[in-house]
Amino acid sequence: QVQFVESGGGLVQPGGSLRLSCAASGSIGSIYSMGWYRQAPGKQRELVAAITNGGSTKYVESVKGRFTISRDNAKNTVYLQMNSLKPEDTAVYYCNAAAGGLRAWGQGTLVTVSS
């Protein structure tokens, strides 16, 4: 079963940027839609961005215009470019399938937005 390893998180000031990466241990080409999820302290995990094999994207309203999801099937990697970060973006970020059934969760990468 494919496994995901997320990286790129860290501490950033409000208004800053980060680029997250998700490396899969196997092919993601068979996964129609890949997504980035996040879980803030005390909250449920939510899907914030998704991208299909055809490049169609969807975003939760709170990140529209600030986050950009992309995927490179040849590298089995999914990315999340995050700009204009806000304190409310603080969370652990995970990648996983966004359709067709979840795979095992990775360890996630922590993003902290604070001055």
Side-chain angles (χ1 to χ4, degrees), residues 4-96:
F4 303 113
V5 178
E6 300 90 350
S7 62
L11 174 63
V12 62
Q13 292 186 342
S17 299
L18 284 174
R19 188 191 193 209
L20 306 184
S21 297
C22 168
S25 63
S27 174
I28 64 170
S30 61
I31 302 176
Y32 172 70
S33 181
M34 285 293 301
W36 278 96
Y37 298 76
R38 68 184 179 188
Q39 186 166 22
K43 295 188 177 181
Q44 289 190 330
R45 194 171 303 184
E46 65 170 341
L47 177 64
V48 297
I51 183 169
T52 68
N53 268 323
S56 296
T57 57
K58 289 185 179 180
Y59 300 91
V60 70
E61 192 64 35
S62 60
V63 308
K64 281 183 180 178
R66 301 188 297 120
F67 289 11
T68 303
I69 188 172
S70 60
R71 67 191 287 172
D72 186 337
N73 285 358
K75 295 182 178 180
N76 294 316
T77 302
V78 184
Y79 305 96
L80 186 67
Q81 178 67 43
M82 306 187 296
N83 299 327
S84 302
L85 283 161
K86 303 176 180 180
E88 51 263 44
D89 295 318
T90 295
V92 179
Y93 285 72
Y94 305 85
C95 69
N96 210 314

